[in-house]
């Protein structure tokens, strides 16, 4: 024999279930819609509204900007036909923060078959739904980062969400907030009561943190769990995108390396043969000059010829450097000595356009290699800076700062040409000018052989490529970046002795 539960018992059961139970009148189906006659305690927990605040209102009080019109149309159609349906909607809590729900709504009839009420059973799907589309469809780390942070800002009511990543072995985090990026340590991210951080290690090695900052009280437990759920999914997607990005970088570096190797062989071979021919030319010119008496007619001819052959020799040295056919003289030397010698040499040539200043860490850093090669690298970079500043529209003297210091690589460093520097101790020589700088396109191709922005006959396009080749011979690399607030920053990294 069964008994029917009393109403107090039903109320106790409904008060303890996790799903929201909402009952409305059956009509009107058109605006403003049926009025709410009952909500359970789960509704109050989910929405922040007390039952007394919504009884007599319509469920439209929960709707807002993100509420999907297509889902509302589906719901409205079911109401008109007196049919059950399941929909997913974005509603809004009392504090204005959105949340996602999935609910089944069913019409209830009395003993005569007349529909009197609608009963809706609602489940919060925010934790599984927020940023799901962004995570599934993002094609790059930048797109994923921007989408996830935007979703979390809206669904937590935070004033800022920071996306933080690092690779194992790195000491610092790369922190992106509202399009800005800075470097920070873990302790600074976790400081303050209003900051929540979720770290998710991933299979590919990329670590992801999401730091959510609020303007008032710390995040509540519901929002903390939401951030943790989104962070876990986002970290998995970031790992996948990072692996794809790394594979594409390796493939691009391999193609560039193969191209450079082929051009290097060609350039080195041509330079070698041309150098042999030029040696004969120079020798004959010098012999003729030695046997002829001095003359106003012949002296300018010999002088111009020898100047031209000197320029040809410089070009050959560029080609040999790029083709990596120059012999390396290995000896320990102080980079400061080379820098000061080059500064003294180039100051006279650059005095009309820019001044050169130097700062060398004490005691002077030492590397092992060929000082003549480093000298040629510095001359090439300084000449480029001087020419760029000379041709710019700015007035007054420009400035080139040369800074030599010790540095340590905690993780492998791969340059755009595919050269990888192992972790260890290095000497960094930074050459920073305040000229017009390079466009992104020019900076990407500046080290490519024979690439130049100059007019035909004004440049060979081998200055920076030969400088890169010389640095590579000594076991280092040459990097290009923007200087702040304008100009070009060239960094030469050489293994410390």
């Amino acid at each position: 024999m069964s008994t029917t539960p009393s109403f107090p018992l039903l109320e106790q059961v409904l008060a303890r279930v996790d799903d929201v139970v909402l009952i409305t009148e059956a009509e009107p189906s058109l605006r403003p819609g049926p009025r709410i006659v009952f909500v359970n305690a789960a509704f109050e927990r989910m929405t922040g509204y007390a039952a007394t605040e919504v009884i007599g209102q319509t469920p439209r009080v929960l709707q807002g900007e993100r509420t999907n019109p297509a889902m509302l149309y589906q719901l409205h159609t079911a109401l008109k036909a007196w049919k059950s349906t399941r929909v997913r909607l974005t509603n809004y809590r009392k504090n204005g923060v959105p949340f996602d729900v999935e609910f089944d709504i069913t019409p209830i009839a009395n003993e005569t078959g007349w529909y009197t009420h609608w009963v809706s059973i609602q489940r919060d799907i925010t934790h599984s739904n927020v940023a799901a589309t962004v995570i599934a469809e993002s094609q790059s780390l930048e797109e994923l980062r921007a989408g996830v942070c935007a979703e979390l800002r809206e669904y937590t009511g935070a004033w800022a969400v920071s996306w933080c990543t690092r690779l194992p072995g790195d000491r610092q985090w790369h922190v992106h907030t509202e399009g800005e990026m800075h470097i920070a340590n873990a302790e600074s991210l976790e400081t303050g009561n209003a900051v929540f951080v979720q770290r998710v290690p991933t299979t590919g090695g990329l670590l992801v943190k999401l730091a959510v900052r609020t303007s008032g009280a710390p995040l509540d437990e519901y929002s903390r769990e939401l951030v943790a759920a989104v962070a876990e999914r986002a970290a998995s997607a970031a790992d996948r995108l990072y692996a794809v990005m790394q594979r594409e970088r390796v493939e691009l570096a391999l193609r560039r390396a193969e191209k450079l190797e082929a051009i290097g062989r060609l350039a080195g071979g041509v330079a070698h043969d041309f150098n042999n021919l030029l040696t004969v030319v120079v020798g004959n010119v010098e012999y003729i000059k030695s046997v002829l008496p001095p003359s106003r007619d012949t002296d300018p001819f010999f002088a111009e010829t020898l100047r031209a052959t000197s320029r040809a020799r410089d070009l050959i040295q560029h080609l040999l450097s790029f083709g990596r056919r120059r012999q390396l003289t290995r000896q320990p030397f102080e980079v400061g000595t080379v820098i000061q010698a080059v500064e003294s040499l180039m100051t006279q040539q650059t005095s009309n356009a820019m001044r050169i200043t130097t700062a060398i860490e004490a005691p002077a850093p030492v590397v092992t290699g060929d000082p003549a090669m480093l000298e040629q690298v510095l001359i090439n970079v300084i000449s480029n800076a001087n020419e760029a500043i000379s041709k710019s529209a700015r007035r007054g003297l420009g400035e080139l700062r040369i800074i030599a210091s010790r540095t340590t690589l905690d993780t492998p460093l791969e340059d755009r040409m595919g050269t990888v520097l192992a972790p260890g101790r290095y000497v960094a020589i930074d050459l920073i000018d305040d000229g017009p700088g390079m466009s992104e396109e020019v900076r990407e191709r500046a080290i490519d052989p024979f690439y130049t922005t100059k007019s035909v006959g004004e440049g060979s396009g081998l200055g920076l490529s030969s400088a890169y080749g010389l640095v590579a011979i000594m076991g280092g690399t040459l990097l290009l970046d923007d200087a702040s607030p304008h100009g070009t920053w060239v960094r030469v990294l050489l293994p410390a002795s």
Side-chain angles (χ1 to χ4, degrees):
M1 179 177 178
S2 62
T3 60
T4 302
S6 65
F7 286 111
L9 178 59
L10 285 175
E11 290 179 356
Q12 291 180 36
V13 171
L14 293 176
R16 283 167 173 75
V17 297
D18 292 330
D19 289 344
V20 168
V21 178
L22 183 148
I23 303 175
T24 70
E25 296 173 339
E27 294 180 310
S29 61
L30 300 178
R31 285 183 180 273
R35 293 178 302 170
I36 299 171
V37 297
F38 173 83
V39 294
N40 65 345
F43 175 91
E44 296 180 327
R45 293 193 296 270
M46 177 188 287
T47 67
Y49 286 100
T52 54
E53 294 179 284
V54 295
I55 298 296
Q57 302 283 345
T58 75
R60 295 180 188 274
V61 72
L62 301 175
Q63 296 170 12
E65 182 180 355
R66 291 179 65 100
T67 306
N68 191 335
M71 289 289 98
L72 291 177
Y73 179 76
Q74 177 183 327
L75 178 61
H76 177 67
T77 302
L79 292 177
K80 286 181 62 178
W82 299 101
K83 291 183 178 180
S84 299
T85 189
R86 173 177 291 181
V87 295
R88 289 186 170 193
L89 284 177
T90 298
N91 283 336
Y92 286 79
R93 295 184 175 83
K94 183 178 179 180
N95 62 6
V97 175
F99 66 99
D100 294 338
V101 292
E102 178 183 74
F103 61 89
D104 297 286
I105 184 167
T106 303
I108 302 297
N110 60 18
E111 62 276 5
T112 66
W114 184 262
Y115 291 111
T116 60
H117 294 85
W118 290 95
V119 175
S120 173
I121 309 298
Q122 303 184 4
R123 292 164 293 279
D124 190 329
I125 60 171
T126 306
H127 286 185
S128 61
N129 201 50
V130 168
T133 302
V134 170
I135 292 170
E137 297 180 357
S138 292
Q139 299 299 311
S140 67
L141 280 172
E142 292 75 15
E143 185 179 347
L144 176 68
R145 179 175 65 235
V148 167
C149 291
E151 289 279 275
L152 282 179
R153 277 199 307 274
E154 186 161 2
Y155 275 85
T156 62
W159 67 267
V161 177
S162 297
W163 173 281
C164 319
T165 59
R166 73 172 175 86
L167 291 172
D170 286 353
R171 298 177 180 177
Q172 305 294 330
W173 289 84
H174 295 263
V175 182
H176 297 262
T177 307
E178 299 288 340
E180 301 289 332
M181 198 280 286
H182 68 277
I183 306 297
N185 56 39
E187 290 73 19
S188 67
L189 294 179
E190 298 169 358
T191 300
N193 294 328
V195 178
F196 172 69
V197 179
Q198 172 70 24
R199 178 186 297 184
V200 184
T202 60
T203 56
L206 188 68
L207 299 179
V208 175
K209 284 188 177 187
L210 293 177
V212 181
R213 292 168 172 80
T214 59
S215 56
L219 294 176
D220 56 32
E221 188 61 29
Y222 178 90
S223 295
R224 288 173 176 265
E225 292 174 357
L226 171 61
V227 174
V230 173
E232 185 174 357
R233 298 197 304 272
S236 178
D239 189 38
R240 170 179 55 83
L241 292 171
Y242 180 76
V244 171
M245 182 181 70
Q246 288 296 95
R247 184 172 67 250
E248 291 175 347
R249 287 182 58 200
V250 170
E251 291 172 351
L252 178 60
L254 178 61
R255 289 195 297 270
R256 282 174 170 167
E258 291 172 343
K259 174 185 174 183
L260 288 174
E261 185 68 23
I263 297 176
R265 289 199 198 99
L266 175 63
V270 170
H272 183 74
D273 293 340
F274 185 52
N275 191 48
N276 293 336
L277 296 173
L278 189 61
T279 301
V280 175
V281 172
V282 173
N284 286 333
V285 171
E286 289 180 341
Y287 172 73
I288 294 172
K289 180 182 178 182
S290 67
V291 299
L292 290 179
S295 168
R296 291 184 178 179
D297 295 331
T298 59
D299 283 354
F301 166 77
F302 287 122
E304 184 60 33
T305 302
L306 290 174
R307 277 197 298 270
T309 55
S310 177
R311 289 195 296 269
R313 281 189 182 278
D314 290 340
L315 177 59
I316 287 172
Q317 292 305 311
H318 285 322
L319 288 169
L320 290 174
S321 300
F322 173 68
R324 302 190 182 186
R325 295 199 176 193
R326 288 183 62 174
Q327 295 298 315
L328 174 63
T329 302
R330 288 194 171 274
Q331 64 184 59
F333 66 92
E334 293 184 354
V335 297
T337 302
V338 176
I339 291 173
Q340 289 168 351
V342 171
E343 177 191 14
S344 176
L345 174 68
M346 298 298 293
T347 295
Q348 297 300 320
Q349 299 183 31
T350 63
S351 59
N352 292 330
M354 72 178 188
R355 61 179 176 271
I356 301 174
T357 60
T358 61
I360 302 169
E361 182 181 340
V366 176
V367 299
T368 299
D370 189 338
M373 285 188 174
L374 179 57
E375 182 178 290
Q376 186 62 46
V377 170
L378 298 179
I379 290 173
N380 280 343
V381 176
I382 294 171
S383 298
N384 281 351
N386 183 61
E387 187 171 355
I389 291 175
S390 298
K391 292 184 176 180
S392 67
R394 60 174 297 167
R395 296 180 178 178
L397 282 178
E399 182 180 16
L400 173 70
R401 291 177 292 144
I402 306 176
I403 305 167
S405 60
R406 296 171 179 82
T407 187
T408 300
L409 291 183
D410 296 323
T411 58
L413 172 66
E414 181 180 0
D415 65 25
R416 62 178 297 272
M417 293 298 187
T419 298
V420 179
L421 298 188
R425 296 183 301 113
Y426 289 84
V427 173
I429 303 174
D430 296 306
L431 299 98
I432 307 170
D433 69 58
D434 59 356
M438 299 180 181
S439 67
E440 181 67 24
E441 178 185 1
V442 171
R443 191 165 60 251
E444 280 295 309
R445 300 189 58 191
I447 299 176
D448 290 350
F450 307 111
Y451 174 76
T452 180
T453 58
K454 300 174 184 177
S455 303
V456 176
E458 291 187 3
S460 64
L462 288 170
L464 282 178
S465 61
S466 66
Y468 176 85
L470 291 171
V471 173
I473 290 173
M474 290 190 287
T477 189
L478 185 148
L479 307 171
L480 292 173
D481 207 342
D482 285 328
S484 179
H486 48 71
T488 301
W489 174 20
V490 179
R491 163 163 278 202
V492 175
L493 283 175
L494 295 172
S497 176

